[in-house]
Amino acid sequence: MPEISRFFGIVIKMYWNDHTLPHFHAYYGGQKATFAIESVGLLAGALPKRQHLFVVEWALAHRPELLADWNLARAHRPLLSIEPLE
């Protein structure tokens, strides 16, 4: 699964073969959460509150890039890196 961003110990990844609504996966420590791109809503899993808020802030700032990567993934093309949260 390609990594598309990394910030504050959080790793953001996207699968090439996911078949549900556009989403991405966030990992922090041993925890994992899946977020919808359009609503930036939590679909599954959990992160600590602070990291959850960082992911939401980052996703809201980069929604067009996330959708572009989702479309690349659907076409089985290489994904582009997205700037980290600073």
Side-chain angles (χ1 to χ4, degrees), residues 6-21:
R6 179 184 292 257
F7 50 90
F8 304 131
I10 302 164
V11 178
I12 307 295
K13 297 183 178 186
M14 196 176 284
Y15 288 108
W16 279 304
N17 60 349
D18 274 344
H19 297 289
T20 60
L21 70 151

Side-chain angles (χ1 to χ4, degrees), residues 27-45:
Y27 297 84
Y28 179 77
Q31 295 178 282
K32 173 187 172 186
T34 304
F35 292 83
I37 294 172
E38 291 288 339
S39 67
V40 191
L42 182 66
L43 297 174

Side-chain angles (χ1 to χ4, degrees), residues 1-4 12-25 37 64-82:
M1 170 172 37
E3 179 179 314
I4 57 176
I12 307 295
K13 297 183 178 186
M14 196 176 284
Y15 288 108
W16 279 304
N17 60 349
D18 274 344
H19 297 289
T20 60
L21 70 151
H23 65 278
F24 63 91
H25 305 273
I37 294 172
E65 294 101 315
L66 284 163
L67 286 171
D69 267 351
W70 179 262
N71 290 327
L72 289 170
R74 298 295 61 151
H76 297 275
R77 298 184 59 205
L79 305 184
L80 303 174
S81 292
I82 299 175

